[in-house]
């Protein structure tokens, strides 16, 4: 079984007792590799607790000495970097609200020049991957890409969601493809915003071959000064990590390969059939376009679209297919069908 990298500690260092007690209990689990604590907190509201500042670094340095574990803090500007380096911090992370700001990232990159340190870069708060890759490139420029890890903490979404920050796993696949050698850590705490979903999200990350997890923990979570709803005790973290399954990326078993390959060849055949059918469907859309052109009839036919959706959705239910999934497929097919009709019906002359 793969050994994941586990990063844990309080959302914020609040008092010396809380910092030391949380960190020593975490170290006793023997499952934590790196301790984290927020010293400067970039809070959305100015009413929220904004961190204890440099004083917290002294407590955290103490926790490092007592536990023998490396420590990680968030930095958002050059001053934070200088102070973190002066206090023996081993890892710094760039938070979601800083990754979005190229000025800050540039300043941090400059301050980190020559430092022997790893930098964890969280995804930007909004799903704009180019801001994330821009930040990675800026830091890589001064420290080298080998000193960078990525942290996936989810993306903020407008309106109701079961998550505090929606994971959008498929977007993260894009960035992982861009930086294939770079480690990626999942931060289920900020994705979930609660304790209940932590295990579910951690297991998905494990199954998507993430390299580790960053999970917030607090000796008394309910009394935490920030992110109280999502923090768990070191003992709960221990239980969570015990129930997680980190599966192998591959298997040498011949029975496994045989079963997998036979299912895969069936899937390949179905994919070919699906795309063959799609191609035929689009040719028919063009024919419809020619008929509508002759009849001088508009492309969009509300009634026809409604009846297609109704018919397919009722079949989807019977076939045990997810309704939202089928609805989005239908919409994409319909949009392409309109495109095809448009090219047939509205051929513009070159001027
Ligand atoms: C944090 O890790 O405590 C934090 C502030 O995270 P994020 O930048 O992901 O919101
Ligand atoms: Mn937090």
């Amino acid at each position: 079984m793969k050994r994941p990298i586990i990063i844990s500690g309080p959302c914020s260092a609040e008092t010396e007792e809380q910092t030391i007690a949380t960190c020593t209990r975490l170290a006793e689990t023997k499952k934590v590799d790196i301790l984290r604590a927020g010293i400067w907190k970039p809070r959305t509201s100015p009413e929220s607790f904004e961190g204890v500042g440099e004083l917290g670094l002294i407590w955290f340095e103490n926790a490092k000495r007592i536990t023998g574990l490396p420590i990680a803090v968030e930095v958002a500007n050059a001053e934070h970097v200088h102070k973190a380096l002066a206090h023996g911090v081993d890892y710094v992370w760039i938070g979601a609200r800083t990754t979005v700001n190229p000025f800050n990232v540039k300043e941090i990159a400059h301050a980190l020049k020559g430092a022997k340190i790893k930098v964890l870069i969280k995804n930007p708060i909004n799903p704009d991957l180019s801001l994330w890759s821009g930040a990675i490139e800026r830091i890589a420029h001064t420290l080298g890409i080998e000193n960078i890890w990525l942290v996936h903490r989810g993306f903020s979404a407008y309106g109701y969601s079961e998550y505090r920050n929606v994971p959008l796993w498929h977007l993260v696949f894009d960035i992982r493809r861009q930086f294939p050698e770079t480690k990626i850590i999942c931060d289920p705490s900020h994705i979930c915003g609660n304790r209940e979903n932590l295990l579910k999200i951690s297991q998905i990350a494990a199954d998507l071959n993430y390299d580790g997890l960053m999970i917030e923990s607090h000796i008394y979570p309910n009394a935490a000064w920030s992110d109280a709803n999502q923090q768990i005790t070191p003992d709960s973290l221990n239980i969570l990590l015990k129930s997680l399954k980190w599966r192998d990326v591959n298997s040498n078993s011949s029975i496994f390969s045989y079963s997998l390959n036979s299912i895969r060849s069936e899937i390949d055949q179905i994919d070919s059939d699906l795309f063959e059918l799609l191609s035929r469907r689009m040719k028919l859309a063009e024919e419809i376009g020619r008929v509508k052109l002759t009849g001088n009839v508009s492309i969009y036919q509300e009634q026809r679209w409604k009846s297609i959706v109704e018919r397919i959705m009722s079949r989807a239910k019977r076939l045990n297919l997810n309704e939202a999934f089928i609805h989005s497929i239908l919409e994409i097919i319909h949009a392409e069908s309109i495109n095809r009709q448009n090219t047939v019906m509205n051929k513009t002359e070159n001027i």
Side-chain angles (χ1 to χ4, degrees):
M1 199 166 81
K2 177 169 144 179
R3 168 85 171 83
I5 302 162
I6 304 298
I7 306 170
S8 189
C11 176
S12 310
E14 299 162 3
T15 64
E16 182 160 21
E17 297 69 41
Q18 168 254 6
T19 308
I20 304 282
T22 307
C23 293
T24 43
R25 193 72 202 103
L26 284 172
E28 281 162 14
T29 67
K30 301 216 174 346
K31 292 198 176 68
V32 174
D33 304 286
I34 302 167
L35 297 168
R36 63 148 280 156
I39 303 293
W40 301 279
K41 301 300 298 177
R43 307 311 300 280
T44 305
S45 158
E47 308 302 318
S48 306
F49 172 59
E50 292 189 317
V52 291
E54 200 171 356
L55 185 59
L57 285 175
I58 301 171
W59 309 334
F60 206 22
E61 216 179 349
N62 243 336
K64 169 175 169 168
R65 195 177 37 76
I66 296 168
T67 60
L69 288 173
I71 55 175
V73 303
E74 172 169 354
V75 290
N77 58 37
E79 188 196 338
H80 296 165
V81 172
H82 296 312
K83 289 188 170 153
L85 293 175
H87 284 280
V89 165
D90 305 279
Y91 296 77
V92 290
W93 80 83
I94 298 179
R97 291 162 194 77
T98 306
T99 307
V100 294
N101 188 329
F103 285 134
N104 286 75
V105 175
K106 221 167 147 178
E107 178 182 320
I108 292 169
H110 186 72
L112 284 167
K113 218 172 200 158
K116 294 260 163 302
I117 200 162
K118 290 221 184 300
V119 182
L120 281 58
I121 306 180
K122 288 198 167 197
N123 67 259
I125 215 148
N126 43 327
D128 182 341
L129 289 190
S130 50
L131 280 172
W132 200 2
S133 54
I136 296 164
E137 282 156 14
R138 282 195 167 89
I139 301 292
H141 198 69
T142 48
L143 273 197
I145 189 76
E146 66 284 3
N147 289 312
I148 293 175
W149 295 357
L150 312 184
V151 180
H152 171 206
R153 49 81 76 198
F155 302 88
S156 67
Y158 184 73
Y160 174 79
S161 158
E162 88 173 283
Y163 300 109
R164 179 177 174 190
N165 291 290
V166 286
L168 305 181
W169 302 101
H170 58 288
L171 284 193
V172 183
F173 273 113
D174 279 355
I175 209 93
R176 291 171 73 184
R177 271 191 290 272
Q178 271 183 62
F179 302 95
E181 308 297 332
T182 307
K183 286 197 192 313
I184 179 143
I185 307 289
C186 181
D187 170 351
S189 302
H190 291 89
I191 290 178
C192 298
N194 61 33
R195 304 187 241 281
E196 294 69 42
N197 288 332
L198 286 177
L199 178 60
K200 179 175 97 178
I201 290 294
S202 303
Q203 186 60 58
I204 294 176
D207 282 322
L208 296 178
N209 296 329
Y210 277 55
D211 296 288
L213 300 171
M214 181 192 270
I215 298 182
E216 288 184 340
S217 57
H218 192 292
I219 198 79
Y220 301 117
N222 289 333
W225 298 358
S226 59
D227 291 351
N229 295 339
Q230 69 197 31
Q231 300 202 60
I232 54 175
T233 62
D235 291 342
S236 306
L237 178 81
N238 197 7
I239 295 169
L240 182 148
L241 293 175
K242 271 189 196 150
S243 39
L244 262 185
K245 291 175 194 70
W246 290 84
R247 301 178 233 268
D248 295 324
V249 178
N250 260 315
S251 163
N252 293 328
S253 141
S254 53
I255 300 174
F256 168 82
S257 308
Y258 176 78
S259 321
L260 191 70
N261 290 337
S262 59
I263 300 171
R264 278 182 174 164
S265 62
E266 211 174 319
I267 284 183
D268 287 348
Q269 187 55 50
I270 290 177
D271 283 348
S272 306
D273 294 349
L274 269 176
F275 286 97
E276 187 67 37
L277 284 170
L278 267 180
S279 161
R280 276 172 53 197
R281 196 196 186 289
M282 290 308 155
K283 277 190 197 118
L284 290 171
E286 285 178 4
E287 265 179 51
I288 288 234
R290 280 186 275 276
V291 174
K292 285 180 183 165
L293 181 63
T294 318
N296 198 28
V297 164
S298 63
I299 296 179
Y300 184 60
Q301 301 286 324
E302 174 88 15
Q303 273 321 103
R304 169 69 178 150
W305 169 235
K306 272 191 183 154
S307 78
I308 291 182
V309 173
E310 261 167 40
R311 188 171 62 86
I312 301 295
M313 293 311 283
S314 75
R315 288 193 72 180
K317 244 190 204 148
R318 265 188 285 125
L319 294 170
N320 200 18
L321 288 164
N322 179 293
E323 288 182 36
F325 166 65
I326 294 303
H327 205 270
S328 31
I329 289 186
L330 273 179
E331 277 183 335
I332 297 174
I333 292 178
H334 189 223
E336 178 60 7
S337 169
I338 287 176
N339 273 344
R340 291 290 189 108
Q341 294 178 59
N342 189 37
T343 49
V344 170
M345 294 172 72
N346 297 313
K347 270 194 206 123
T348 44
E349 298 291 332
N350 282 339
I351 304 169

